[in-house]
Amino acid sequence: MAEASRRRVAPWALAAGLAALAALLWLACSTLGGMAWRDALFPAVLVPSALLVALRRRALAARPGAAVLAAVLPVGLLLCAYMPAIVSVSWDGYAHYRAANRIAQGRVTVSSLADDVLYDMDGIYDVGLYPLGTSDDDWHPNWESILSEEGMDHANARFEELDEVVSTRKTNVTPWEPTTVGRLPNALGLAVGDLLDAPVLVRLFLGRVCNLLVYAAVMALAASWLRRGGWVVFAVAVTPTLVFMACNYSYDPFAISLVTLAASRFVGELQRPDERLTAGRAAWILVPFLVGTVTKAVFVASALMLLFMPRTKFADARGHRAWVCACCATAAAVLATFAVPFLLAGGSVGADTRGGATDIDSRRQLAFLLAHPVTYLATLVGSFLWAFNPVAVFQQLPVNLCYLPMPGGWPLMAAGWLCLVLLAALLDRGPVDDRWRGPAVGWGTFAGIALSLVLMATALYLGYTDVGAPLVSGIQVRYLLFEISPFLLVCLNFGTGPRRRLEARLEAVGGTGPARRVMGALPQAALWAGFCLLWAVAAFGFLVRF
């Protein structure tokens, strides 16, 4: 009876009730409880979010796409409010903000001194509590101080002061480049702020929120299309590192969500062997893949996965040939975005000295690579073993807040995330996955992923590493997130075997009934695991700071 009454509650009434509860909690905590207004947001958002998941747990367990929105959006909005005003809290945030701001404003840019600070990779020294040179370790003490309540208020007040000094500048029209598409979500939020004539702090918040909304929406769409495997996408979507980037200025979350959408649509077609692949459904695979990989063109080799679309999906051989040609044309278009400029420049790319390298020359590096292929192969192997060793992956992939201090208890959070993604990849499978799994598509996809990583390392070797260096500079563990969805959905598809074996063991221990109840509760367990993981990162990374 109680469950039936909950189902009769209209969605709009539930939303209104939860919003009212959030407002009351915030007022009570910030006034009666004596909490700072920023800290009072935590219980004001957590309690209604937890109630939503508890009241709608069965509906959310049946719809992984909706579960993505329920888990990611509330804590993501809170993180957008908790982020320090400086945009360089995330990787290259100053460059992403500058590019997004130019897209939003066009040729005539109205900027203030606050924008100048945001454009500076060391802008924290202009707004933090410690000026540059006051400590032996200037970088980390500043980041920790700016996360304190005093530091946040100091930075916000400083930005409001700098925002009063405004100038209008005419710049050249921002040329289109491959990364422009990836920065559109951030640019959209900044454009809305300009329309509202909002101050700089509000514009920063809106840019972050739009990036988060687009990320969550695309991930939810990807999880919704799959007949089985939606919880694999859910596990990827709640990766704390990805959610952190989505709440900042970065094109990585948008690109990764689109690659995830392309992979889920591809697997969804494999799960529907009796349905023809129409032009519209083919576009749902190729367009997200094109837009997602064009920002990081070196990962285009994962398009090899798409060539394993079964011939039975087409009415005749001509249709299959058209699909292969479309896949090749998509990959060629992505490759052209960096191959054509490279060739026009005579085999030279701009040197990137941010990593500390001083002897960067792409022409000489390319000549060295071609003259010593065996040596370069050893360089690649050594670089991958160094950058992607299990310890580094565990420390940097699941829970990585870039320059901000790691949340307390992060090893438990990282271990929880690894358990979540592996169990989802092994257990969220059905008979539809038994039909299409096999060594050809699995190893073919893995080969495409491996080739993408080789291309990524080669690009860094040419433009980021000293000539003839024994290791490639600049390889980061977070780059694995670009390929994690195809790997989990395709390469780790072992069909229903793991699920059947687990259920058989549970039946041997407790009987058929309890075993079925446990297996039926797995989606709800995954939902709560992802929910608690993100809120733990928010609590111990931003609220309980010291």
Side-chain angles (χ1 to χ4, degrees):
M1 181 66 68
E3 180 64 26
S5 64
R6 283 198 293 268
R7 283 197 292 266
R8 285 196 294 268
V9 177
W12 65 266
L14 179 62
L18 293 177
L21 176 62
L24 290 174
L25 283 172
W26 183 80
L27 288 173
C29 293
S30 59
T31 56
L32 301 178
M35 297 177 65
W37 71 267
R38 194 178 293 107
D39 293 342
L41 289 173
F42 189 87
V45 179
L46 171 60
V47 173
S49 301
L51 281 176
L52 173 64
V53 173
L55 294 175
R56 299 298 189 190
R57 60 188 182 279
R58 291 183 176 85
L60 294 174
R63 301 174 60 190
V68 169
L69 299 177
V72 171
L73 284 182
V75 70
L77 291 172
L78 185 70
L79 290 180
C80 289
Y82 276 180
M83 288 297 165
I86 197 73
V87 293
S88 290
V89 292
S90 62
W91 294 274
D92 301 323
Y94 69 98
H96 294 303
Y97 173 80
R98 180 170 55 213
N101 201 37
R102 290 192 64 184
I103 295 170
Q105 296 194 347
R107 183 172 183 178
V108 178
T109 302
V110 179
S111 61
S112 64
L113 290 180
D115 289 311
D116 293 337
V117 171
L118 294 172
Y119 293 163
D120 184 3
M121 66 180 301
D122 295 327
I124 185 173
Y125 298 119
D126 297 316
V127 296
L129 295 179
Y130 301 111
L132 180 62
T134 58
S135 169
D136 292 335
D137 185 7
D138 291 305
W139 194 249
H140 294 90
N142 279 277
W143 288 114
E144 292 180 359
S145 69
I146 206 171
L147 275 178
S148 66
E149 191 65 33
E150 180 186 2
M152 295 280 280
D153 292 339
H154 177 91
N156 290 345
R158 178 62 174 158
F159 264 109
E160 290 174 354
E161 177 185 343
L162 294 173
D163 197 37
E164 296 296 324
V165 184
V166 179
S167 63
T168 302
R169 307 170 185 173
K170 287 188 178 181
T171 60
N172 295 328
V173 177
T174 303
W176 185 90
E177 55 184 13
T179 56
T180 299
V181 177
R183 293 186 172 112
L184 289 179
N186 284 136
L188 176 61
L190 293 175
V192 172
D194 290 334
L195 289 176
L196 299 175
D197 196 22
V200 63
L201 294 178
V202 177
R203 290 182 75 246
L204 285 177
F205 177 76
L206 291 175
R208 285 170 164 151
V209 167
C210 280
N211 206 31
L212 170 70
L213 293 177
V214 172
Y215 166 78
V218 177
M219 282 294 195
L221 190 61
S224 300
W225 174 249
L226 293 163
R227 289 185 172 179
R228 295 300 294 266
W231 290 103
V232 180
V233 176
F234 173 86
V236 174
V238 299
T239 305
T241 303
L242 270 177
V243 175
F244 171 80
M245 287 192 291
C247 297
N248 279 288
Y249 286 82
S250 172
Y251 54 58
D252 287 3
F254 183 48
I256 293 169
S257 65
L258 287 173
V259 172
T260 300
L261 176 59
S264 72
R265 295 291 301 200
F266 171 75
V267 172
E269 293 296 338
L270 299 182
Q271 294 174 340
R272 297 166 172 83
D274 300 326
E275 300 178 15
R276 300 296 185 190
L277 181 67
T278 63
R281 287 162 68 157
W284 270 104
I285 300 174
L286 296 178
V287 173
F289 183 85
L290 172 65
V291 178
T293 55
V294 77
T295 60
K296 292 282 189 181
V298 291
F299 293 105
V300 68
S302 57
L304 186 62
M305 167 187 69
L306 306 179
L307 298 179
F308 291 92
M309 185 71 71
R311 295 177 182 270
T312 55
K313 295 288 294 183
F314 306 93
D316 50 31
R318 182 180 179 182
H320 182 257
R321 286 195 299 270
W323 166 254
V324 172
C325 291
C327 293
C328 293
T330 301
V334 175
L335 284 170
T337 60
F338 75 89
V340 171
F342 180 75
L343 294 175
L344 292 177
S348 176
V349 295
D352 189 343
T353 59
R354 290 175 300 170
T358 57
D359 185 24
I360 300 176
D361 188 321
S362 57
R363 288 193 182 93
R364 290 168 52 209
Q365 191 78 290
L366 181 60
F368 173 83
L369 186 155
L370 296 175
H372 305 86
V374 177
T375 302
Y376 181 61
L377 179 60
T379 297
L380 284 176
V381 173
S383 299
F384 288 146
L385 291 176
W386 173 261
F388 298 146
N389 67 82
V391 175
V393 171
F394 181 79
Q395 290 179 337
Q396 301 175 35
L397 185 69
V399 184
N400 192 338
L401 304 186
C402 190
Y403 303 116
L404 298 183
M406 292 290 281
W410 69 265
L412 292 177
M413 303 173 195
W417 178 84
L418 287 172
C419 292
L420 176 62
V421 294
L422 290 177
L423 290 176
L426 294 175
L427 301 179
D428 191 17
R429 305 292 182 178
V432 291
D433 298 302
D434 289 326
R435 299 176 184 176
W436 64 267
R437 77 181 184 93
V441 63
W443 284 106
T445 300
F446 183 80
I449 293 172
L451 183 56
S452 293
L453 295 176
V454 170
L455 290 176
M456 175 269 296
T458 302
L460 291 171
Y461 199 63
L462 293 175
Y464 198 78
T465 308
D466 286 331
V467 175
L471 291 175
V472 180
S473 301
I475 298 179
Q476 299 184 43
V477 172
R478 64 187 176 96
Y479 293 155
L480 295 176
L481 292 172
F482 280 89
E483 304 291 357
I484 191 172
S485 295
F487 178 76
L488 293 173
L489 288 172
V490 181
C491 299
L492 291 191
N493 176 25
F494 298 104
T496 56
R499 185 180 181 90
R500 289 199 308 268
R501 287 192 291 271
L502 176 60
E503 189 169 3
R505 291 184 180 181
L506 291 175
E507 288 179 357
V509 173
T512 303
R516 290 181 177 177
R517 286 193 292 271
V518 170
M519 299 302 293
L522 288 179
Q524 290 190 38
L527 170 64
W528 281 111
F531 179 87
C532 294
L533 171 64
L534 289 180
W535 279 99
V537 172
F540 293 99
F542 293 88
L543 190 67
V544 184
R545 302 186 183 97
F546 306 106

